[in-house]
mmCIF file of all heavy atoms in Angstrom:
data_model
loop_
_atom_site.group_PDB
_atom_site.id
_atom_site.type_symbol
_atom_site.label_atom_id
_atom_site.label_comp_id
_atom_site.label_asym_id
_atom_site.label_seq_id
_atom_site.Cartn_x
_atom_site.Cartn_y
_atom_site.Cartn_z
ATOM 1 N N MET A 722 101.545 122.339 91.752
ATOM 2 C CA MET A 722 100.167 121.990 91.404
ATOM 3 C C MET A 722 99.325 121.799 92.671
ATOM 4 O O MET A 722 99.749 121.171 93.633
ATOM 5 C CB MET A 722 100.184 120.676 90.609
ATOM 6 C CG MET A 722 98.883 120.374 89.905
ATOM 7 S SD MET A 722 98.948 118.705 89.175
ATOM 8 C CE MET A 722 97.211 118.305 89.198
ATOM 9 N N LYS A 723 98.123 122.341 92.642
ATOM 10 C CA LYS A 723 97.238 122.241 93.801
ATOM 11 C C LYS A 723 96.424 120.949 93.745
ATOM 12 O O LYS A 723 95.949 120.546 92.693
ATOM 13 C CB LYS A 723 96.267 123.433 93.822
ATOM 14 C CG LYS A 723 96.953 124.753 94.111
ATOM 15 C CD LYS A 723 97.080 124.990 95.593
ATOM 16 C CE LYS A 723 97.701 126.361 95.850
ATOM 17 N NZ LYS A 723 97.976 126.570 97.267
ATOM 18 N N VAL A 724 96.280 120.328 94.908
ATOM 19 C CA VAL A 724 95.460 119.127 95.006
ATOM 20 C C VAL A 724 94.461 119.312 96.146
ATOM 21 O O VAL A 724 94.643 120.159 97.005
ATOM 22 C CB VAL A 724 96.318 117.870 95.260
ATOM 23 C CG1 VAL A 724 97.149 117.524 94.033
ATOM 24 C CG2 VAL A 724 97.206 118.030 96.479
ATOM 25 N N THR A 725 93.409 118.498 96.142
ATOM 26 C CA THR A 725 92.396 118.594 97.192
ATOM 27 C C THR A 725 92.342 117.308 98.006
ATOM 28 O O THR A 725 92.324 116.214 97.447
ATOM 29 C CB THR A 725 91.017 118.884 96.566
ATOM 30 O OG1 THR A 725 91.120 120.046 95.757
ATOM 31 C CG2 THR A 725 89.974 119.107 97.634
ATOM 32 N N ASP A 726 92.321 117.471 99.295
ATOM 33 C CA ASP A 726 92.178 116.354 100.214
ATOM 34 C C ASP A 726 90.714 115.900 100.188
ATOM 35 O O ASP A 726 89.829 116.682 100.517
ATOM 36 C CB ASP A 726 92.567 116.875 101.619
ATOM 37 C CG ASP A 726 92.580 115.785 102.665
ATOM 38 O OD1 ASP A 726 91.735 114.894 102.598
ATOM 39 O OD2 ASP A 726 93.436 115.852 103.548
ATOM 40 N N PRO A 727 90.431 114.657 99.774
ATOM 41 C CA PRO A 727 89.030 114.226 99.672
ATOM 42 C C PRO A 727 88.336 114.097 101.022
ATOM 43 O O PRO A 727 87.106 114.113 101.093
ATOM 44 C CB PRO A 727 89.136 112.858 98.978
ATOM 45 C CG PRO A 727 90.505 112.374 99.269
ATOM 46 C CD PRO A 727 91.366 113.604 99.372
ATOM 47 N N VAL A 728 89.101 113.972 102.096
ATOM 48 C CA VAL A 728 88.499 113.783 103.418
ATOM 49 C C VAL A 728 88.069 115.111 104.027
ATOM 50 O O VAL A 728 86.915 115.309 104.373
ATOM 51 C CB VAL A 728 89.469 113.040 104.357
ATOM 52 C CG1 VAL A 728 88.885 112.939 105.756
ATOM 53 C CG2 VAL A 728 89.761 111.643 103.807
ATOM 54 N N CYS A 729 88.980 116.068 104.124
ATOM 55 C CA CYS A 729 88.648 117.326 104.803
ATOM 56 C C CYS A 729 88.374 118.467 103.821
ATOM 57 O O CYS A 729 87.918 119.528 104.226
ATOM 58 C CB CYS A 729 89.759 117.710 105.767
ATOM 59 S SG CYS A 729 91.290 118.153 104.952
ATOM 60 N N GLY A 730 88.662 118.255 102.526
ATOM 61 C CA GLY A 730 88.349 119.274 101.533
ATOM 62 C C GLY A 730 89.366 120.383 101.406
ATOM 63 O O GLY A 730 89.165 121.328 100.648
ATOM 64 N N LEU A 731 90.467 120.283 102.121
ATOM 65 C CA LEU A 731 91.508 121.304 102.064
ATOM 66 C C LEU A 731 92.237 121.260 100.726
ATOM 67 O O LEU A 731 92.462 120.198 100.166
ATOM 68 C CB LEU A 731 92.532 121.070 103.177
ATOM 69 C CG LEU A 731 92.380 121.829 104.479
ATOM 70 C CD1 LEU A 731 93.514 121.449 105.415
ATOM 71 C CD2 LEU A 731 92.391 123.330 104.246
ATOM 72 N N GLU A 732 92.621 122.449 100.258
ATOM 73 C CA GLU A 732 93.399 122.550 99.032
ATOM 74 C C GLU A 732 94.822 122.949 99.408
ATOM 75 O O GLU A 732 95.025 123.848 100.212
ATOM 76 C CB GLU A 732 92.778 123.607 98.128
ATOM 77 C CG GLU A 732 92.985 123.318 96.660
ATOM 78 C CD GLU A 732 92.312 124.354 95.793
ATOM 79 O OE1 GLU A 732 92.741 125.507 95.802
ATOM 80 O OE2 GLU A 732 91.331 123.987 95.119
ATOM 81 N N PHE A 733 95.795 122.237 98.818
ATOM 82 C CA PHE A 733 97.180 122.539 99.179
ATOM 83 C C PHE A 733 98.111 122.126 98.063
ATOM 84 O O PHE A 733 97.692 121.531 97.066
ATOM 85 C CB PHE A 733 97.546 121.845 100.492
ATOM 86 C CG PHE A 733 97.165 120.390 100.509
ATOM 87 C CD1 PHE A 733 98.026 119.423 100.038
ATOM 88 C CD2 PHE A 733 95.911 120.011 100.967
ATOM 89 C CE1 PHE A 733 97.661 118.085 100.036
ATOM 90 C CE2 PHE A 733 95.534 118.676 100.967
ATOM 91 C CZ PHE A 733 96.412 117.715 100.497
ATOM 92 N N ASP A 734 99.386 122.428 98.237
ATOM 93 C CA ASP A 734 100.371 122.109 97.233
ATOM 94 C C ASP A 734 100.681 120.607 97.221
ATOM 95 O O ASP A 734 100.827 119.990 98.264
ATOM 96 C CB ASP A 734 101.652 122.894 97.533
ATOM 97 C CG ASP A 734 102.443 123.137 96.273
ATOM 98 O OD1 ASP A 734 103.172 122.223 95.849
ATOM 99 O OD2 ASP A 734 102.303 124.234 95.712
ATOM 100 N N GLU A 735 100.776 120.062 96.018
ATOM 101 C CA GLU A 735 101.006 118.628 95.878
ATOM 102 C C GLU A 735 102.284 118.169 96.587
ATOM 103 O O GLU A 735 102.352 117.066 97.123
ATOM 104 C CB GLU A 735 101.082 118.276 94.392
ATOM 105 C CG GLU A 735 101.038 116.796 94.133
ATOM 106 C CD GLU A 735 101.081 116.441 92.651
ATOM 107 O OE1 GLU A 735 101.024 117.351 91.813
ATOM 108 O OE2 GLU A 735 101.181 115.250 92.357
ATOM 109 N N ASP A 736 103.299 119.023 96.564
ATOM 110 C CA ASP A 736 104.580 118.662 97.185
ATOM 111 C C ASP A 736 104.465 118.421 98.682
ATOM 112 O O ASP A 736 105.267 117.715 99.276
ATOM 113 C CB ASP A 736 105.611 119.776 96.949
ATOM 114 C CG ASP A 736 105.927 119.935 95.476
ATOM 115 O OD1 ASP A 736 105.673 118.986 94.711
ATOM 116 O OD2 ASP A 736 106.431 121.000 95.097
ATOM 117 N N LEU A 737 103.462 119.038 99.314
ATOM 118 C CA LEU A 737 103.324 118.933 100.768
ATOM 119 C C LEU A 737 102.395 117.803 101.186
ATOM 120 O O LEU A 737 102.169 117.587 102.368
ATOM 121 C CB LEU A 737 102.765 120.255 101.318
ATOM 122 C CG LEU A 737 103.531 121.529 100.971
ATOM 123 C CD1 LEU A 737 102.744 122.742 101.418
ATOM 124 C CD2 LEU A 737 104.906 121.534 101.612
ATOM 125 N N SER A 738 101.853 117.093 100.206
ATOM 126 C CA SER A 738 100.803 116.143 100.540
ATOM 127 C C SER A 738 101.328 114.764 100.900
ATOM 128 O O SER A 738 102.433 114.371 100.546
ATOM 129 C CB SER A 738 99.820 116.024 99.369
ATOM 130 O OG SER A 738 100.450 115.412 98.272
ATOM 131 N N VAL A 739 100.480 114.016 101.598
ATOM 132 C CA VAL A 739 100.699 112.602 101.881
ATOM 133 C C VAL A 739 99.875 111.866 100.834
ATOM 134 O O VAL A 739 98.704 112.170 100.647
ATOM 135 C CB VAL A 739 100.167 112.248 103.290
ATOM 136 C CG1 VAL A 739 100.438 110.793 103.619
ATOM 137 C CG2 VAL A 739 100.789 113.151 104.334
ATOM 138 N N THR A 740 100.473 110.921 100.128
ATOM 139 C CA THR A 740 99.732 110.268 99.049
ATOM 140 C C THR A 740 99.356 108.834 99.393
ATOM 141 O O THR A 740 100.004 108.177 100.197
ATOM 142 C CB THR A 740 100.537 110.258 97.738
ATOM 143 O OG1 THR A 740 101.782 109.608 97.967
ATOM 144 C CG2 THR A 740 100.779 111.668 97.243
ATOM 145 N N HIS A 741 98.287 108.387 98.740
ATOM 146 C CA HIS A 741 97.833 107.010 98.893
ATOM 147 C C HIS A 741 97.194 106.584 97.581
ATOM 148 O O HIS A 741 96.462 107.351 96.963
ATOM 149 C CB HIS A 741 96.811 106.932 100.031
ATOM 150 C CG HIS A 741 96.193 105.579 100.162
ATOM 151 N ND1 HIS A 741 96.929 104.469 100.508
ATOM 152 C CD2 HIS A 741 94.914 105.150 99.983
ATOM 153 C CE1 HIS A 741 96.106 103.419 100.528
ATOM 154 N NE2 HIS A 741 94.891 103.803 100.222
ATOM 155 N N GLU A 742 97.494 105.356 97.154
ATOM 156 C CA GLU A 742 96.916 104.885 95.901
ATOM 157 C C GLU A 742 95.789 103.909 96.188
ATOM 158 O O GLU A 742 95.930 102.983 96.987
ATOM 159 C CB GLU A 742 98.010 104.205 95.063
ATOM 160 C CG GLU A 742 97.879 104.569 93.593
ATOM 161 C CD GLU A 742 99.051 104.042 92.778
ATOM 162 O OE1 GLU A 742 100.103 104.680 92.801
ATOM 163 O OE2 GLU A 742 98.882 102.998 92.148
ATOM 164 N N TYR A 743 94.660 104.147 95.539
ATOM 165 C CA TYR A 743 93.492 103.288 95.701
ATOM 166 C C TYR A 743 92.882 103.048 94.338
ATOM 167 O O TYR A 743 92.554 103.994 93.612
ATOM 168 C CB TYR A 743 92.485 103.965 96.637
ATOM 169 C CG TYR A 743 91.178 103.222 96.778
ATOM 170 C CD1 TYR A 743 91.135 101.984 97.409
ATOM 171 C CD2 TYR A 743 90.001 103.766 96.280
ATOM 172 C CE1 TYR A 743 89.945 101.296 97.533
ATOM 173 C CE2 TYR A 743 88.796 103.088 96.412
ATOM 174 C CZ TYR A 743 88.773 101.852 97.034
ATOM 175 O OH TYR A 743 87.585 101.177 97.156
ATOM 176 N N LYS A 744 92.753 101.766 93.955
ATOM 177 C CA LYS A 744 92.219 101.403 92.635
ATOM 178 C C LYS A 744 92.931 102.161 91.511
ATOM 179 O O LYS A 744 92.299 102.800 90.673
ATOM 180 C CB LYS A 744 90.712 101.637 92.583
ATOM 181 C CG LYS A 744 89.955 100.659 93.444
ATOM 182 C CD LYS A 744 88.458 100.765 93.226
ATOM 183 C CE LYS A 744 87.713 99.697 94.018
ATOM 184 N NZ LYS A 744 86.252 99.854 93.920
ATOM 185 N N SER A 745 94.255 102.133 91.535
ATOM 186 C CA SER A 745 95.134 102.781 90.546
ATOM 187 C C SER A 745 94.966 104.286 90.445
ATOM 188 O O SER A 745 95.430 104.902 89.505
ATOM 189 C CB SER A 745 94.990 102.205 89.137
ATOM 190 O OG SER A 745 94.433 100.950 89.125
ATOM 191 N N LYS A 746 94.293 104.879 91.410
ATOM 192 C CA LYS A 746 94.179 106.322 91.416
ATOM 193 C C LYS A 746 94.905 106.867 92.636
ATOM 194 O O LYS A 746 94.846 106.286 93.710
ATOM 195 C CB LYS A 746 92.706 106.743 91.448
ATOM 196 C CG LYS A 746 92.512 108.118 90.863
ATOM 197 C CD LYS A 746 91.086 108.605 91.004
ATOM 198 C CE LYS A 746 91.056 110.092 90.688
ATOM 199 N NZ LYS A 746 90.136 110.850 91.487
ATOM 200 N N LYS A 747 95.605 107.985 92.418
ATOM 201 C CA LYS A 747 96.379 108.570 93.504
ATOM 202 C C LYS A 747 95.555 109.621 94.233
ATOM 203 O O LYS A 747 94.950 110.486 93.605
ATOM 204 C CB LYS A 747 97.638 109.219 92.925
ATOM 205 C CG LYS A 747 98.877 108.983 93.764
ATOM 206 C CD LYS A 747 100.095 109.540 93.070
ATOM 207 C CE LYS A 747 101.362 109.221 93.823
ATOM 208 N NZ LYS A 747 102.525 109.867 93.191
ATOM 209 N N TYR A 748 95.541 109.536 95.552
ATOM 210 C CA TYR A 748 94.829 110.513 96.370
ATOM 211 C C TYR A 748 95.829 111.259 97.251
ATOM 212 O O TYR A 748 96.823 110.692 97.683
ATOM 213 C CB TYR A 748 93.785 109.812 97.245
ATOM 214 C CG TYR A 748 92.664 109.223 96.430
ATOM 215 C CD1 TYR A 748 92.737 107.929 95.941
ATOM 216 C CD2 TYR A 748 91.541 109.992 96.122
ATOM 217 C CE1 TYR A 748 91.714 107.399 95.174
ATOM 218 C CE2 TYR A 748 90.508 109.471 95.357
ATOM 219 C CZ TYR A 748 90.604 108.168 94.880
ATOM 220 O OH TYR A 748 89.595 107.642 94.116
ATOM 221 N N HIS A 749 95.529 112.512 97.486
ATOM 222 C CA HIS A 749 96.433 113.355 98.266
ATOM 223 C C HIS A 749 95.746 113.798 99.549
ATOM 224 O O HIS A 749 94.586 114.178 99.546
ATOM 225 C CB HIS A 749 96.820 114.596 97.453
ATOM 226 C CG HIS A 749 97.489 114.246 96.159
ATOM 227 N ND1 HIS A 749 98.846 114.110 96.041
ATOM 228 C CD2 HIS A 749 96.983 113.983 94.943
ATOM 229 C CE1 HIS A 749 99.149 113.789 94.795
ATOM 230 N NE2 HIS A 749 98.036 113.706 94.099
ATOM 231 N N PHE A 750 96.530 113.771 100.631
ATOM 232 C CA PHE A 750 95.992 114.153 101.935
ATOM 233 C C PHE A 750 96.894 115.169 102.615
ATOM 234 O O PHE A 750 98.104 115.178 102.399
ATOM 235 C CB PHE A 750 95.849 112.910 102.821
ATOM 236 C CG PHE A 750 95.030 111.840 102.169
ATOM 237 C CD1 PHE A 750 95.642 110.835 101.444
ATOM 238 C CD2 PHE A 750 93.647 111.885 102.215
ATOM 239 C CE1 PHE A 750 94.887 109.863 100.792
ATOM 240 C CE2 PHE A 750 92.878 110.939 101.568
ATOM 241 C CZ PHE A 750 93.500 109.917 100.859
ATOM 242 N N CYS A 751 96.292 115.993 103.447
ATOM 243 C CA CYS A 751 97.057 117.037 104.119
ATOM 244 C C CYS A 751 97.885 116.460 105.263
ATOM 245 O O CYS A 751 98.873 117.050 105.678
ATOM 246 C CB CYS A 751 96.115 118.127 104.622
ATOM 247 S SG CYS A 751 94.979 117.586 105.906
ATOM 248 N N CYS A 752 97.464 115.313 105.791
ATOM 249 C CA CYS A 752 98.184 114.720 106.912
ATOM 250 C C CYS A 752 97.896 113.228 107.014
ATOM 251 O O CYS A 752 96.983 112.723 106.350
ATOM 252 C CB CYS A 752 97.776 115.418 108.206
ATOM 253 S SG CYS A 752 96.016 115.231 108.558
ATOM 254 N N ASP A 753 98.642 112.540 107.857
ATOM 255 C CA ASP A 753 98.438 111.104 108.047
ATOM 256 C C ASP A 753 97.052 110.789 108.612
ATOM 257 O O ASP A 753 96.492 109.740 108.342
ATOM 258 C CB ASP A 753 99.502 110.546 109.009
ATOM 259 C CG ASP A 753 100.792 110.188 108.273
ATOM 260 O OD1 ASP A 753 100.701 109.806 107.087
ATOM 261 O OD2 ASP A 753 101.866 110.293 108.866
ATOM 262 N N GLY A 754 96.517 111.706 109.407
ATOM 263 C CA GLY A 754 95.202 111.505 109.994
ATOM 264 C C GLY A 754 94.135 111.332 108.925
ATOM 265 O O GLY A 754 93.332 110.405 108.962
ATOM 266 N N CYS A 755 94.147 112.232 107.932
ATOM 267 C CA CYS A 755 93.169 112.157 106.845
ATOM 268 C C CYS A 755 93.389 110.894 106.015
ATOM 269 O O CYS A 755 92.443 110.256 105.575
ATOM 270 C CB CYS A 755 93.257 113.392 105.963
ATOM 271 S SG CYS A 755 92.532 114.843 106.730
ATOM 272 N N LYS A 756 94.643 110.538 105.830
ATOM 273 C CA LYS A 756 94.957 109.332 105.058
ATOM 274 C C LYS A 756 94.382 108.102 105.758
ATOM 275 O O LYS A 756 93.784 107.232 105.123
ATOM 276 C CB LYS A 756 96.477 109.212 104.917
ATOM 277 C CG LYS A 756 96.917 108.065 104.031
ATOM 278 C CD LYS A 756 98.431 108.024 103.945
ATOM 279 C CE LYS A 756 98.914 106.747 103.306
ATOM 280 N NZ LYS A 756 100.388 106.711 103.203
ATOM 281 N N LYS A 757 94.511 108.047 107.071
ATOM 282 C CA LYS A 757 93.991 106.910 107.831
ATOM 283 C C LYS A 757 92.474 106.830 107.735
ATOM 284 O O LYS A 757 91.901 105.747 107.617
ATOM 285 C CB LYS A 757 94.412 107.033 109.300
ATOM 286 C CG LYS A 757 95.821 106.526 109.527
ATOM 287 C CD LYS A 757 96.222 106.710 110.985
ATOM 288 C CE LYS A 757 97.720 106.497 111.147
ATOM 289 N NZ LYS A 757 98.203 107.019 112.446
ATOM 290 N N ILE A 758 91.819 107.980 107.781
ATOM 291 C CA ILE A 758 90.362 108.013 107.669
ATOM 292 C C ILE A 758 89.935 107.479 106.303
ATOM 293 O O ILE A 758 88.998 106.698 106.175
ATOM 294 C CB ILE A 758 89.841 109.456 107.889
ATOM 295 C CG1 ILE A 758 90.070 109.869 109.339
ATOM 296 C CG2 ILE A 758 88.355 109.552 107.530
ATOM 297 C CD1 ILE A 758 89.845 111.356 109.606
ATOM 298 N N PHE A 759 90.679 107.881 105.271
ATOM 299 C CA PHE A 759 90.381 107.404 103.913
ATOM 300 C C PHE A 759 90.544 105.895 103.808
ATOM 301 O O PHE A 759 89.687 105.204 103.253
ATOM 302 C CB PHE A 759 91.309 108.110 102.916
ATOM 303 C CG PHE A 759 91.060 107.709 101.486
ATOM 304 C CD1 PHE A 759 90.204 108.464 100.681
ATOM 305 C CD2 PHE A 759 91.682 106.592 100.929
ATOM 306 C CE1 PHE A 759 89.975 108.098 99.357
ATOM 307 C CE2 PHE A 759 91.456 106.226 99.608
ATOM 308 C CZ PHE A 759 90.596 106.980 98.819
ATOM 309 N N ILE A 760 91.639 105.381 104.350
ATOM 310 C CA ILE A 760 91.932 103.946 104.249
ATOM 311 C C ILE A 760 90.868 103.109 104.960
ATOM 312 O O ILE A 760 90.541 102.012 104.530
ATOM 313 C CB ILE A 760 93.355 103.663 104.796
ATOM 314 C CG1 ILE A 760 94.395 104.238 103.821
ATOM 315 C CG2 ILE A 760 93.594 102.172 104.986
ATOM 316 C CD1 ILE A 760 95.812 104.292 104.383
ATOM 317 N N LYS A 761 90.288 103.664 106.008
ATOM 318 C CA LYS A 761 89.235 102.949 106.733
ATOM 319 C C LYS A 761 87.992 102.757 105.869
ATOM 320 O O LYS A 761 87.363 101.713 105.887
ATOM 321 C CB LYS A 761 88.849 103.720 108.001
ATOM 322 C CG LYS A 761 89.664 103.326 109.210
ATOM 323 C CD LYS A 761 89.097 104.005 110.454
ATOM 324 C CE LYS A 761 89.994 103.772 111.657
ATOM 325 N NZ LYS A 761 89.542 104.593 112.810
ATOM 326 N N LYS A 762 87.622 103.819 105.128
ATOM 327 C CA LYS A 762 86.428 103.742 104.280
ATOM 328 C C LYS A 762 86.719 104.340 102.906
ATOM 329 O O LYS A 762 86.175 105.394 102.557
ATOM 330 C CB LYS A 762 85.266 104.511 104.937
ATOM 331 C CG LYS A 762 84.722 103.841 106.166
ATOM 332 C CD LYS A 762 83.525 104.617 106.715
ATOM 333 C CE LYS A 762 82.924 103.919 107.913
ATOM 334 N NZ LYS A 762 81.827 104.700 108.514
ATOM 335 N N PRO A 763 87.575 103.682 102.130
ATOM 336 C CA PRO A 763 87.976 104.258 100.837
ATOM 337 C C PRO A 763 86.809 104.452 99.876
ATOM 338 O O PRO A 763 86.810 105.404 99.094
ATOM 339 C CB PRO A 763 88.989 103.241 100.285
ATOM 340 C CG PRO A 763 88.778 101.998 101.061
ATOM 341 C CD PRO A 763 88.259 102.416 102.394
ATOM 342 N N LYS A 764 85.824 103.587 99.932
ATOM 343 C CA LYS A 764 84.674 103.715 99.023
ATOM 344 C C LYS A 764 83.944 105.021 99.245
ATOM 345 O O LYS A 764 83.580 105.720 98.313
ATOM 346 C CB LYS A 764 83.695 102.557 99.245
ATOM 347 C CG LYS A 764 84.001 101.345 98.396
ATOM 348 C CD LYS A 764 82.892 100.322 98.551
ATOM 349 C CE LYS A 764 83.250 99.035 97.831
ATOM 350 N NZ LYS A 764 82.260 97.976 98.127
ATOM 351 N N LYS A 765 83.739 105.331 100.504
ATOM 352 C CA LYS A 765 83.004 106.545 100.850
ATOM 353 C C LYS A 765 83.726 107.788 100.329
ATOM 354 O O LYS A 765 83.130 108.649 99.692
ATOM 355 C CB LYS A 765 82.872 106.610 102.369
ATOM 356 C CG LYS A 765 82.165 107.856 102.857
ATOM 357 C CD LYS A 765 82.145 107.893 104.378
ATOM 358 C CE LYS A 765 81.569 109.230 104.851
ATOM 359 N NZ LYS A 765 81.575 109.326 106.325
ATOM 360 N N TRP A 766 85.030 107.865 100.591
ATOM 361 C CA TRP A 766 85.768 109.084 100.284
ATOM 362 C C TRP A 766 86.130 109.204 98.813
ATOM 363 O O TRP A 766 86.208 110.305 98.282
ATOM 364 C CB TRP A 766 87.005 109.173 101.156
ATOM 365 C CG TRP A 766 86.674 109.187 102.607
ATOM 366 C CD1 TRP A 766 86.879 108.186 103.501
ATOM 367 C CD2 TRP A 766 86.025 110.240 103.330
ATOM 368 N NE1 TRP A 766 86.403 108.558 104.733
ATOM 369 C CE2 TRP A 766 85.878 109.807 104.659
ATOM 370 C CE3 TRP A 766 85.551 111.512 102.966
ATOM 371 C CZ2 TRP A 766 85.292 110.594 105.630
ATOM 372 C CZ3 TRP A 766 84.964 112.296 103.931
ATOM 373 C CH2 TRP A 766 84.834 111.840 105.253
ATOM 374 N N SER A 767 86.374 108.078 98.142
ATOM 375 C CA SER A 767 86.755 108.175 96.733
ATOM 376 C C SER A 767 85.555 108.570 95.884
ATOM 377 O O SER A 767 85.684 109.212 94.854
ATOM 378 C CB SER A 767 87.348 106.859 96.244
ATOM 379 O OG SER A 767 86.440 105.794 96.427
ATOM 380 N N LYS A 768 84.362 108.189 96.317
ATOM 381 C CA LYS A 768 83.147 108.580 95.596
ATOM 382 C C LYS A 768 82.928 110.080 95.664
ATOM 383 O O LYS A 768 82.474 110.700 94.726
ATOM 384 C CB LYS A 768 81.922 107.903 96.230
ATOM 385 C CG LYS A 768 81.493 106.640 95.512
ATOM 386 C CD LYS A 768 80.219 106.116 96.171
ATOM 387 C CE LYS A 768 79.983 104.654 95.819
ATOM 388 N NZ LYS A 768 78.924 104.080 96.667
ATOM 389 N N LYS A 769 83.253 110.634 96.820
ATOM 390 C CA LYS A 769 82.982 112.035 97.080
ATOM 391 C C LYS A 769 83.809 112.974 96.194
ATOM 392 O O LYS A 769 83.405 114.095 95.932
ATOM 393 C CB LYS A 769 83.292 112.319 98.557
ATOM 394 C CG LYS A 769 82.439 113.423 99.155
ATOM 395 C CD LYS A 769 82.877 113.670 100.591
ATOM 396 C CE LYS A 769 82.287 114.956 101.131
ATOM 397 N NZ LYS A 769 82.884 115.320 102.417
ATOM 398 N N SER A 770 84.971 112.506 95.734
ATOM 399 C CA SER A 770 85.843 113.395 94.967
ATOM 400 C C SER A 770 85.223 113.766 93.619
ATOM 401 O O SER A 770 84.583 112.942 92.974
ATOM 402 C CB SER A 770 87.217 112.767 94.765
ATOM 403 O OG SER A 770 87.110 111.630 93.958
ATOM 404 N N ASN A 771 85.427 114.977 93.203
ATOM 405 C CA ASN A 771 84.886 115.603 91.979
ATOM 406 C C ASN A 771 83.409 115.855 92.119
ATOM 407 O O ASN A 771 82.542 115.265 91.731
ATOM 408 C CB ASN A 771 85.198 114.799 90.730
ATOM 409 C CG ASN A 771 86.693 114.709 90.551
ATOM 410 O OD1 ASN A 771 87.424 115.652 90.838
ATOM 411 N ND2 ASN A 771 87.168 113.560 90.105
HETATM 412 ZN ZN1 LIG B 551 92.989 116.668 105.411
#
């Protein structure tokens, strides 16, 4: 299944992603760098999705 990284917008396979849960929702990232950026400002990035 394909997922989208909310920080950089990359689309990739779910199996290859780094995951993080925020407000009971699971987010997928292409790397730890994007995950760290999300954790710093989760409000900004979670709003942007969809
Ligand atoms: Zn990314």
